Amino acid sequence: MSSGAEVVVVGAGLAGLSAATRLAAAGVDVHVLESGGHAGGRLATERIDGFVVDRGFQVLNTGYPRAADLDLDALELGWFERGAIVRVDGTAHRVVDPRRRPADVIGTATAPIGSARDKAALAAFSLRAGYSPVGRLLAARERTAEQALRAAGVGDTALERFFRPFLAGVLLEDDLETSSRYLDLLWRSFVRGSIGLPAEGMQAVGEQLAARLAPGRLHPHTAVRAVAPGSVLTDDGRWAADAVVVATDPGTAARLLPGVEAAAPRQVTTHLHVLPGSPWRLPLIVLGQPGSRLVNSVVLSDAQPRYSPDGRALVASSTLSPTREDEVRAEVAAAHGVAPSDLDHLTTVTVPGAQPAALPPLQLRRPVDLGDGLYVCGDHRDTPSIQGAMASGARTARAVLRALRPTTPPDDRRST
Ligand SMILES: Cc1cc2nc3c(=O)[nH]c(=O)nc-3n(C[C@H](O)[C@H](O)[C@H](O)COP(=O)(O)OP(=O)(O)OC[C@H]3O[C@@H](n4cnc5c(N)ncnc54)[C@H](O)[C@@H]3O)c2cc1C
């Protein structure tokens, strides 16, 4: 069978959908071929025993510039508090953003995450990342995340009890070898935004974008085997297209497009448990302790009650290396101050290619136009995040429009 389209997008993750919806809005005849069964790619959600279970713990950060592309109200987000719980010698301490929770200023100021100097360094680091112009952040000397935090005056205690476990849960690496430039951009989004979970799970983000395409434009269960200028080969036949956008995961993009390199993938294992009720008053992430395999553990249903069918608490606990549930159950229980026997194991998932590494030198805005009508987008072209995926999709749509609609005024193209 052979089909034709002006543009074929390979992959219905956030990058591919961001590109496709912008192209469709500009009047381009675009089709999206997706090997899996759902829209959203790495944002995948299933229901288990009535609980909303995302494929690995992830959140939507409204501080991402591209969050503006989403209808956040329609996602019915449930919110986390900004901050974390740090356990030291069995006692739980809240470290929260004092701008949001002035009543907790004293608790945060006295939390055992280092000296007053450490806390001042944390505040100064946050102010700089949150409010300096992006250009200035990107012009700053680049080093590893750990070197940057130390240069900002963060001492050992704050590093080991707060920054390392907090960032390990986001960067999916605990050597803090990630680029300081990515750390700055990430921290900026935490300072400026809030983090939440959609009522129907993270997959709802991708489904919202996919719903902007006309019926019949998204083709699930259609794996692409090869691409070439002007053509795409699937198991069902060949598509002819003026432009082909490869918006797959980095490894597949590197296989389909020999000139594209894939950064090392980061992996994460997430264990889901059910508790009879939440042990906490506030929706906060509990950080893993130094030496613990857990990087964090969190009662998801405290932030988004719709993740639970009946008021029981849904807990997600993550480790960087693959772990069995029985290896971490005691650590999960200790994190929440409950007995191991209170935890009912729901499921465990390991995601091997959760996100690509972002080591120095950070290659922001890697080329998306490969020539000959071939384009590539995905988190590996910008930053390993929802923001990076959506930004790369937007950039790719602009590049495709420049080629296919050269007479469209640049201002109109920019609005895509
Ligand atoms: C557990 C986990 C936690 C995360 N936490 C966060 C977080 O808290 N915040 C954050 O910002 N980011 C987080 N991320 C990263 C974020 O989810 C990704 O960066 C982003 O979703 C990547 O989108 P993408 O479109 O680039 O790629 P993908 O989502 O991987 O989309 C690629 C699509 O291409 C399809 N595909 C692959 N091969 C083919 C083929 N041959 N033919 C057709 N289709 C194909 C795939 O099925 C997929 O749908 C997390 C990721 C995971 C997995």
Side-chain angles (χ1 to χ4, degrees):
M1 194 189 85
S2 81
S3 319
E6 211 176 354
V7 179
V8 167
V9 175
V10 183
L14 298 189
L17 291 171
S18 294
T21 52
R22 282 156 190 271
L23 291 169
V28 173
D29 165 36
V30 55
H31 284 256
V32 182
L33 312 184
E34 163 58 47
S35 58
H38 76 277
R42 271 170 268 169
L43 274 58
T45 306
E46 61 180 322
R47 291 240 172 207
I48 303 179
D49 295 346
F51 290 93
V52 175
V53 177
D54 293 322
R55 190 161 179 267
F57 169 51
Q58 60 178 312
V59 292
L60 182 61
N61 187 331
T62 61
Y64 287 152
R66 291 269 63 85
D69 298 347
L70 299 169
D71 180 351
L72 296 177
D73 287 344
L75 292 173
E76 299 179 84
L77 293 160
W79 302 104
F80 287 98
E81 283 287 332
R82 287 205 290 191
I85 290 171
V86 174
R87 259 195 197 278
V88 179
D89 299 331
T91 305
H93 302 269
R94 283 209 294 256
V95 178
V96 294
D97 184 337
R99 295 170 308 161
R100 295 285 172 98
R101 203 156 258 285
D104 272 22
V105 166
I106 293 181
T108 298
T110 55
I113 57 159
S115 63
R117 210 166 144 259
D118 275 314
K119 288 167 192 159
L122 166 57
F125 185 77
S126 299
L127 281 174
R128 177 187 150 278
Y131 301 106
S132 302
V134 170
R136 192 177 307 158
L137 295 178
L138 293 178
R141 181 177 151 201
E142 187 174 25
R143 33 194 155 192
T144 67
E146 175 162 348
Q147 287 165 345
L149 288 168
R150 290 197 182 279
V154 173
D156 284 342
T157 309
L159 192 69
E160 299 310 328
R161 289 186 178 160
F162 180 74
F163 278 104
R164 195 181 300 279
F166 186 90
L167 289 172
V170 185
L171 305 172
L172 305 185
E173 60 98 357
D174 59 5
D175 291 328
L176 301 187
E177 60 180 4
T178 297
S179 162
S180 57
R181 293 201 175 138
Y182 181 45
L183 171 63
D184 281 345
L185 296 177
L186 197 63
W187 208 256
R188 179 184 186 80
S189 67
F190 282 122
V191 173
R192 296 168 83 96
S194 299
I195 60 173
L197 294 171
E200 297 299 320
M202 289 297 287
Q203 188 175 312
V205 177
E207 283 172 354
Q208 181 182 97
L209 291 177
R212 296 178 189 167
L213 296 172
R217 296 288 163 154
L218 174 57
H219 305 262
H221 305 295
T222 306
V224 167
R225 301 297 171 204
V227 301
S231 111
V232 171
L233 181 66
T234 75
D235 289 339
D236 302 328
R238 192 174 290 281
W239 282 75
D242 297 336
V244 176
V245 176
V246 174
T248 64
D249 57 277
T252 306
R255 275 199 301 283
L256 292 174
L257 299 164
V260 168
E261 280 176 24
R266 305 285 192 203
Q267 67 173 356
V268 63
T269 296
T270 304
H271 303 277
L272 277 298
H273 289 97
V274 176
L275 281 172
S278 175
W280 304 106
R281 275 198 308 114
L282 291 178
L284 276 165
I285 292 168
V286 185
L287 300 185
Q289 298 177 49
S292 143
R293 275 165 299 192
L294 278 191
V295 288
N296 58 45
S297 184
V298 55
V299 180
L300 301 170
S301 49
D302 280 351
Q304 180 48 271
R306 303 250 302 264
Y307 270 39
S308 167
D310 53 14
R312 282 177 293 159
L314 179 63
V315 183
S317 311
S318 298
T319 64
L320 297 180
S321 52
T323 41
R324 289 193 323 266
E325 190 271 340
D326 60 308
E327 292 175 318
V328 295
R329 170 178 282 252
E331 287 177 33
V332 174
H336 296 283
V338 300
S341 56
D342 290 341
L343 293 163
D344 261 345
H345 182 219
L346 193 63
T347 188
T348 293
V349 58
T350 293
V351 186
Q355 55 193 45
L359 301 176
L362 184 67
Q363 290 177 274
L364 263 189
R365 301 190 190 99
R366 287 179 171 198
V368 293
D369 182 348
L370 305 178
D372 291 332
L374 289 176
Y375 299 83
V376 60
C377 63
D379 58 351
H380 57 113
R381 305 319 281 173
D382 282 79
T383 56
S385 63
I386 289 169
Q387 160 65 22
M390 293 181 72
S392 80
R395 227 155 39 84
T396 305
R398 286 196 293 273
V400 172
L401 284 178
R402 268 196 302 276
L404 297 186
R405 301 276 192 279
T407 53
T408 304
D411 279 354
D412 290 1
R413 279 195 228 119
R414 214 168 292 132
S415 71
T416 63

